Amino acid sequence: MNDIPELTISPEKVAVILAKARQFDVKDVVTDPDSGSNGSDDAMLSVLEDHASDPSRTELSAMIRGLNEDEQIDLVALAWLGRGDGDIGDWQEIRREADRAHNRRTAQYLIGIPLLSDYLEEALSQFGHSAEEFEQPL
């Protein structure tokens, strides 16, 4: 397939963000926002909840904010592509729309997409890549 468009963000960066998003995606709603107990008192359930101070959220947000504008636009377009807003043949149009919608809240927007990691993984596959090819061996 020689008609695959060029990305301004590297597939490796997408894979790293995808992996971090996957850690964040498993978080659940906060059930006890005023809990004063320590983790062992509540069976460590709070580590599975989506707290604003969550390190996964903070790291994911920092990764996205650290991208340049073109990379952020590609990342949003990839999320849209992966959720089915078109196919690889519609890439230029999807990317133009992402460019038009770009603002300073890109990280917040992307983190708010419930299946972000799945969408990015699907989009990567449309570009001929898989997240697994960029995983680091333990």
Side-chain angles (χ1 to χ4, degrees), residues 13-45:
K13 282 185 183 179
V14 177
V16 169
I17 291 169
L18 184 159
K20 185 54 68 179
R22 186 154 286 137
Q23 290 174 6
F24 181 73
D25 282 349
V26 299
K27 301 290 183 166
D28 200 0
V29 296
V30 177
T31 56
D32 186 8
D34 297 320
S35 176
S37 68
N38 65 36
S40 61
D41 289 344
D42 65 4
M44 298 300 287
L45 294 176

Tab-separated table of all heavy atoms in Angstrom, residues 13-45:
chain	number	residue	atom	x	y	z
A	13	LYS	N	5.585	7.334	18.901
A	13	LYS	CA	4.982	8.239	19.880
A	13	LYS	C	3.525	7.875	20.122
A	13	LYS	O	3.048	7.895	21.250
A	13	LYS	CB	5.071	9.698	19.418
A	13	LYS	CG	6.404	10.340	19.611
A	13	LYS	CD	6.352	11.816	19.230
A	13	LYS	CE	7.697	12.476	19.351
A	13	LYS	NZ	7.648	13.906	18.957
A	14	VAL	N	2.822	7.540	19.048
A	14	VAL	CA	1.418	7.142	19.187
A	14	VAL	C	1.328	5.897	20.063
A	14	VAL	O	0.475	5.804	20.945
A	14	VAL	CB	0.757	6.894	17.817
A	14	VAL	CG1	-0.675	6.401	17.991
A	14	VAL	CG2	0.780	8.158	16.967
A	15	ALA	N	2.224	4.942	19.859
A	15	ALA	CA	2.211	3.705	20.634
A	15	ALA	C	2.471	3.971	22.117
A	15	ALA	O	1.847	3.352	22.988
A	15	ALA	CB	3.238	2.720	20.075
A	16	VAL	N	3.379	4.894	22.418
A	16	VAL	CA	3.670	5.232	23.817
A	16	VAL	C	2.449	5.892	24.454
A	16	VAL	O	2.053	5.558	25.583
A	16	VAL	CB	4.915	6.147	23.915
A	16	VAL	CG1	5.077	6.713	25.309
A	16	VAL	CG2	6.160	5.390	23.492
A	17	ILE	N	1.822	6.814	23.738
A	17	ILE	CA	0.627	7.484	24.246
A	17	ILE	C	-0.511	6.479	24.391
A	17	ILE	O	-1.238	6.489	25.383
A	17	ILE	CB	0.239	8.666	23.337
A	17	ILE	CG1	1.292	9.769	23.476
A	17	ILE	CG2	-1.160	9.188	23.652
A	17	ILE	CD1	1.200	10.884	22.455
A	18	LEU	N	-0.629	5.587	23.428
A	18	LEU	CA	-1.645	4.538	23.476
A	18	LEU	C	-1.455	3.679	24.735
A	18	LEU	O	-2.427	3.378	25.433
A	18	LEU	CB	-1.515	3.689	22.215
A	18	LEU	CG	-2.495	2.574	21.925
A	18	LEU	CD1	-2.455	2.262	20.432
A	18	LEU	CD2	-2.231	1.333	22.697
A	19	ALA	N	-0.230	3.285	25.030
A	19	ALA	CA	0.044	2.453	26.209
A	19	ALA	C	-0.313	3.205	27.487
A	19	ALA	O	-0.916	2.634	28.407
A	19	ALA	CB	1.517	2.032	26.234
A	20	LYS	N	0.024	4.471	27.560
A	20	LYS	CA	-0.308	5.261	28.746
A	20	LYS	C	-1.828	5.447	28.837
A	20	LYS	O	-2.410	5.366	29.918
A	20	LYS	CB	0.397	6.613	28.697
A	20	LYS	CG	0.228	7.461	29.936
A	20	LYS	CD	0.628	6.771	31.224
A	20	LYS	CE	2.098	6.504	31.340
A	20	LYS	NZ	2.456	5.848	32.620
A	21	ALA	N	-2.483	5.673	27.700
A	21	ALA	CA	-3.941	5.818	27.686
A	21	ALA	C	-4.604	4.528	28.145
A	21	ALA	O	-5.629	4.559	28.831
A	21	ALA	CB	-4.427	6.203	26.289
A	22	ARG	N	-4.029	3.400	27.796
A	22	ARG	CA	-4.592	2.115	28.213
A	22	ARG	C	-4.556	1.994	29.733
A	22	ARG	O	-5.494	1.495	30.347
A	22	ARG	CB	-3.833	0.977	27.553
A	22	ARG	CG	-4.473	-0.358	27.838
A	22	ARG	CD	-4.203	-1.403	26.798
A	22	ARG	NE	-5.000	-1.113	25.615
A	22	ARG	CZ	-4.544	-1.195	24.379
A	22	ARG	NH1	-3.309	-1.558	24.150
A	22	ARG	NH2	-5.317	-0.931	23.355
A	23	GLN	N	-3.485	2.465	30.372
A	23	GLN	CA	-3.404	2.451	31.839
A	23	GLN	C	-4.504	3.324	32.432
A	23	GLN	O	-5.093	2.986	33.444
A	23	GLN	CB	-2.046	2.972	32.309
A	23	GLN	CG	-0.900	2.068	32.019
A	23	GLN	CD	0.431	2.711	32.392
A	23	GLN	OE1	0.485	3.793	32.975
A	23	GLN	NE2	1.516	2.050	32.063
A	24	PHE	N	-4.744	4.441	31.786
A	24	PHE	CA	-5.749	5.376	32.268
A	24	PHE	C	-7.164	4.885	31.975
A	24	PHE	O	-8.074	5.061	32.775
A	24	PHE	CB	-5.525	6.754	31.647
A	24	PHE	CG	-6.503	7.779	32.100
A	24	PHE	CD1	-6.431	8.305	33.375
A	24	PHE	CD2	-7.514	8.205	31.268
A	24	PHE	CE1	-7.347	9.242	33.808
A	24	PHE	CE2	-8.438	9.146	31.681
A	24	PHE	CZ	-8.348	9.667	32.967
A	25	ASP	N	-7.374	4.245	30.825
A	25	ASP	CA	-8.704	3.782	30.412
A	25	ASP	C	-9.329	2.807	31.395
A	25	ASP	O	-10.549	2.703	31.457
A	25	ASP	CB	-8.647	3.096	29.035
A	25	ASP	CG	-8.560	4.083	27.888
A	25	ASP	OD1	-8.754	5.291	28.114
A	25	ASP	OD2	-8.282	3.634	26.757
A	26	VAL	N	-8.521	2.079	32.141
A	26	VAL	CA	-9.072	1.078	33.054
A	26	VAL	C	-9.597	1.691	34.343
A	26	VAL	O	-10.206	1.005	35.145
A	26	VAL	CB	-8.034	-0.020	33.401
A	26	VAL	CG1	-7.596	-0.749	32.155
A	26	VAL	CG2	-6.855	0.544	34.163
A	27	LYS	N	-9.388	2.980	34.526
A	27	LYS	CA	-9.840	3.641	35.753
A	27	LYS	C	-11.354	3.729	35.787
A	27	LYS	O	-12.017	3.882	34.774
A	27	LYS	CB	-9.244	5.056	35.865
A	27	LYS	CG	-7.734	5.084	35.875
A	27	LYS	CD	-7.183	4.525	37.148
A	27	LYS	CE	-5.664	4.635	37.137
A	27	LYS	NZ	-5.085	4.415	38.429
A	28	ASP	N	-11.906	3.660	36.980
A	28	ASP	CA	-13.350	3.720	37.202
A	28	ASP	C	-13.704	5.050	37.855
A	28	ASP	O	-12.832	5.802	38.288
A	28	ASP	CB	-13.762	2.553	38.114
A	28	ASP	CG	-15.240	2.237	38.028
A	28	ASP	OD1	-15.960	2.898	37.276
A	28	ASP	OD2	-15.670	1.293	38.729
A	29	VAL	N	-14.980	5.334	37.946
A	29	VAL	CA	-15.428	6.570	38.588
A	29	VAL	C	-15.063	6.549	40.065
A	29	VAL	O	-14.955	5.494	40.688
A	29	VAL	CB	-16.957	6.773	38.428
A	29	VAL	CG1	-17.326	6.945	36.979
A	29	VAL	CG2	-17.716	5.640	39.067
A	30	VAL	N	-14.878	7.712	40.633
A	30	VAL	CA	-14.540	7.839	42.048
A	30	VAL	C	-15.788	7.523	42.872
A	30	VAL	O	-16.838	8.131	42.691
A	30	VAL	CB	-14.031	9.262	42.353
A	30	VAL	CG1	-13.751	9.427	43.840
A	30	VAL	CG2	-12.778	9.557	41.536
A	31	THR	N	-15.672	6.565	43.791
A	31	THR	CA	-16.818	6.170	44.615
A	31	THR	C	-16.814	6.837	45.984
A	31	THR	O	-17.857	6.983	46.602
A	31	THR	CB	-16.852	4.645	44.810
A	31	THR	OG1	-15.609	4.224	45.379
A	31	THR	CG2	-17.093	3.939	43.490
A	32	ASP	N	-15.641	7.246	46.456
A	32	ASP	CA	-15.540	7.896	47.761
A	32	ASP	C	-14.551	9.055	47.656
A	32	ASP	O	-13.388	8.922	48.016
A	32	ASP	CB	-15.083	6.886	48.815
A	32	ASP	CG	-15.109	7.463	50.223
A	32	ASP	OD1	-15.618	8.596	50.405
A	32	ASP	OD2	-14.611	6.787	51.145
A	33	PRO	N	-15.019	10.216	47.153
A	33	PRO	CA	-14.095	11.325	46.905
A	33	PRO	C	-13.457	11.905	48.165
A	33	PRO	O	-12.400	12.513	48.098
A	33	PRO	CB	-14.969	12.373	46.215
A	33	PRO	CG	-16.354	12.030	46.602
A	33	PRO	CD	-16.387	10.543	46.823
A	34	ASP	N	-14.055	11.703	49.318
A	34	ASP	CA	-13.528	12.277	50.560
A	34	ASP	C	-12.902	11.234	51.469
A	34	ASP	O	-12.792	11.438	52.665
A	34	ASP	CB	-14.651	13.005	51.315
A	34	ASP	CG	-15.200	14.173	50.518
A	34	ASP	OD1	-14.397	14.870	49.882
A	34	ASP	OD2	-16.429	14.355	50.518
A	35	SER	N	-12.493	10.133	50.893
A	35	SER	CA	-11.919	9.057	51.685
A	35	SER	C	-10.653	9.541	52.382
A	35	SER	O	-9.742	10.057	51.758
A	35	SER	CB	-11.581	7.864	50.795
A	35	SER	OG	-10.932	6.871	51.561
A	36	GLY	N	-10.618	9.338	53.674
A	36	GLY	CA	-9.438	9.693	54.453
A	36	GLY	C	-8.628	8.479	54.816
A	36	GLY	O	-7.604	8.566	55.480
A	37	SER	N	-9.089	7.327	54.415
A	37	SER	CA	-8.396	6.098	54.780
A	37	SER	C	-7.172	5.886	53.900
A	37	SER	O	-7.027	6.477	52.850
A	37	SER	CB	-9.342	4.906	54.640
A	37	SER	OG	-9.652	4.680	53.285
A	38	ASN	N	-6.318	5.010	54.369
A	38	ASN	CA	-5.186	4.663	53.515
A	38	ASN	C	-5.599	3.515	52.600
A	38	ASN	O	-6.646	2.893	52.793
A	38	ASN	CB	-3.938	4.338	54.345
A	38	ASN	CG	-4.111	3.096	55.191
A	38	ASN	OD1	-4.749	2.151	54.792
A	38	ASN	ND2	-3.502	3.109	56.373
A	39	GLY	N	-4.793	3.227	51.617
A	39	GLY	CA	-5.132	2.237	50.606
A	39	GLY	C	-5.451	0.864	51.155
A	39	GLY	O	-6.355	0.185	50.674
A	40	SER	N	-4.722	0.438	52.177
A	40	SER	CA	-4.957	-0.904	52.693
A	40	SER	C	-6.307	-1.011	53.399
A	40	SER	O	-6.882	-2.089	53.486
A	40	SER	CB	-3.825	-1.330	53.629
A	40	SER	OG	-3.764	-0.455	54.737
A	41	ASP	N	-6.823	0.108	53.903
A	41	ASP	CA	-8.133	0.083	54.568
A	41	ASP	C	-9.273	-0.107	53.580
A	41	ASP	O	-10.323	-0.622	53.944
A	41	ASP	CB	-8.384	1.380	55.345
A	41	ASP	CG	-7.518	1.491	56.592
A	41	ASP	OD1	-6.955	0.461	57.013
A	41	ASP	OD2	-7.402	2.611	57.106
A	42	ASP	N	-9.107	0.312	52.351
A	42	ASP	CA	-10.197	0.181	51.373
A	42	ASP	C	-9.864	-0.832	50.278
A	42	ASP	O	-10.360	-0.750	49.165
A	42	ASP	CB	-10.577	1.530	50.768
A	42	ASP	CG	-9.476	2.158	49.925
A	42	ASP	OD1	-8.431	1.514	49.734
A	42	ASP	OD2	-9.677	3.285	49.445
A	43	ALA	N	-9.028	-1.805	50.600
A	43	ALA	CA	-8.645	-2.881	49.679
A	43	ALA	C	-7.994	-2.336	48.408
A	43	ALA	O	-8.094	-2.928	47.354
A	43	ALA	CB	-9.848	-3.760	49.344
A	44	MET	N	-7.352	-1.183	48.489
A	44	MET	CA	-6.640	-0.555	47.377
A	44	MET	C	-7.558	-0.203	46.210
A	44	MET	O	-7.107	-0.047	45.083
A	44	MET	CB	-5.486	-1.447	46.891
A	44	MET	CG	-4.414	-1.695	47.939
A	44	MET	SD	-3.624	-0.190	48.533
A	44	MET	CE	-2.617	0.240	47.144
A	45	LEU	N	-8.852	-0.075	46.461
A	45	LEU	CA	-9.800	0.249	45.396
A	45	LEU	C	-9.559	1.627	44.807
A	45	LEU	O	-9.827	1.855	43.634
A	45	LEU	CB	-11.241	0.142	45.910
A	45	LEU	CG	-11.700	-1.266	46.293
A	45	LEU	CD1	-13.098	-1.225	46.864
A	45	LEU	CD2	-11.622	-2.197	45.099
